[in-house]
Amino acid sequence: MSAILKTQKLRVEFRNREMRQATKVALHGLDLEVHAGEVFGFLGPNGAGKTTTINVLLGFVPPTSGAASLFGIDVRQPIARQRIGYLPELTYYYKFLSAEELLRFYAKIFGLARGETDKRIAELLKLVELEHAAKRPIKSYSKGMQQRVGLAQALINNPDLLILDEPTSGLDPLGRMKVREIIQRLKEQGKTVFFSSHELGEVETVCDRVAIIHQGELKAVGRVNEITGRHASLEKAFLDIIGFQTSTAP
């Protein structure tokens, strides 16, 4: 299978010149491949390097060494990101706008024609189940509804690859279920979804493959059943792989 997202020996270092501290290595030679049409979970504890990896893919952070590519194009070239959609962990929208107005705004940024825009907005509002609230201001939305309109925004340009940073963070069980259903529908449409998450139960349900990263190093990658192995759940496998030891009270 062709890899549409790939990193090779990716290394990222951060220097703190003001405090004169030692260089912090966020990624240690990360090798990763995501194939077309799969849902790929990117897992790790806080500070593991997940967001740094995503920022390199989006062109926000330059790699210190190694390489990263999207659709076979170096991520340092803007054209590499032409076919992707992105949802950050924290979304910042003009909350006085309605979902329909927000999507129309982003459609203009991507240069969509008026007829195409109307059709695309209708399709996306149906996908994220917000037709009933299309004309309501976003400030009146619940957290789950705001996350779903964020997904619609990330899809306005009909991308082949969707990159999501903690898409279910802070959502209640119903909100997580709806986001999971949307990801499943996207997979059925042939989209590729790459997302980071702390919700291991969600990952176990929806992902084809997962990678576990810890302290900037790739610890495991494979299908969910391969990662879980002899463990009862992905959560227990995850804790074992990162070397977490539960404390035992006397």
Side-chain angles (χ1 to χ4, degrees):
M1 296 177 66
S2 59
I4 66 171
L5 183 161
K6 187 173 183 179
T7 68
Q8 295 173 287
K9 302 187 183 305
L10 186 64
R11 184 179 179 88
V12 176
E13 299 176 358
F14 294 109
R15 294 179 175 84
N16 192 329
R17 295 176 181 175
E18 292 183 3
M19 302 300 293
R20 295 183 180 179
Q21 295 177 347
T23 298
K24 177 184 177 182
V25 181
L27 291 174
H28 298 261
L30 179 65
D31 289 317
L32 199 64
E33 288 191 4
V34 177
H35 303 137
E38 70 177 345
V39 177
F40 193 98
F42 194 40
L43 315 179
N46 290 332
K50 302 188 303 297
T51 298
T52 297
T53 302
I54 289 175
N55 284 340
V56 170
L57 295 171
L58 295 171
F60 298 156
V61 171
T64 303
S65 62
S69 62
L70 297 171
F71 305 99
I73 303 172
D74 192 305
V75 294
R76 289 173 291 188
Q77 300 183 40
I79 194 173
R81 295 180 291 279
Q82 191 173 29
R83 296 163 58 191
I84 71 170
Y86 169 58
L87 177 67
E89 180 178 1
L90 299 175
T91 56
Y92 298 96
Y93 300 128
Y94 295 116
K95 295 190 176 181
F96 58 85
L97 295 177
S98 67
E100 188 177 276
E101 290 169 336
L102 179 76
L103 294 178
R104 198 169 297 280
F105 172 74
Y106 278 96
K108 286 184 179 179
I109 291 177
F110 282 101
L112 273 64
R114 178 62 183 269
E116 184 182 359
T117 294
D118 293 341
K119 179 182 178 183
R120 189 69 184 145
I121 289 174
E123 291 173 348
L124 290 175
L125 289 174
K126 181 178 181 180
L127 174 70
V128 300
E129 300 181 10
L130 287 176
E131 306 105 306
H132 66 287
K135 298 187 182 298
R136 278 172 45 192
I138 294 173
K139 64 183 178 183
S140 70
Y141 285 11
S142 67
K143 167 70 173 174
M145 293 170 71
Q146 290 184 26
Q147 200 73 341
R148 277 147 51 204
V149 80
L151 278 168
Q153 167 269 313
L155 291 163
I156 193 67
N157 60 325
N158 197 21
D160 295 310
L161 169 64
L162 196 60
I163 297 177
L164 313 176
D165 194 357
E166 299 287 348
T168 59
S169 176
L171 299 186
D172 61 19
L174 179 61
R176 293 199 301 271
M177 181 192 73
K178 286 187 176 293
V179 170
R180 185 174 68 238
E181 289 176 346
I182 292 167
I183 291 175
Q184 186 61 43
R185 290 178 203 147
L186 293 172
K187 179 185 176 181
E188 291 169 359
Q189 294 174 12
K191 304 293 185 185
T192 305
V193 183
F194 175 83
F195 72 98
S196 67
S197 180
H198 287 108
E199 302 288 346
L200 300 184
E202 302 295 318
V203 170
E204 192 167 7
T205 301
V206 75
C207 287
D208 298 305
R209 291 194 303 136
V210 299
I212 297 175
I213 186 174
H214 183 46
Q215 296 179 343
E217 296 183 359
L218 184 65
K219 298 297 184 180
V221 62
R223 301 190 70 83
V224 174
N225 60 351
E226 296 171 348
I227 298 295
T228 54
R230 58 185 172 82
H231 299 279
S233 67
L234 181 60
E235 179 178 353
K236 291 184 177 180
F238 173 84
L239 294 174
D240 185 47
I241 288 169
I242 68 171
F244 179 80
Q245 300 292 329
T246 57
S247 59
T248 56

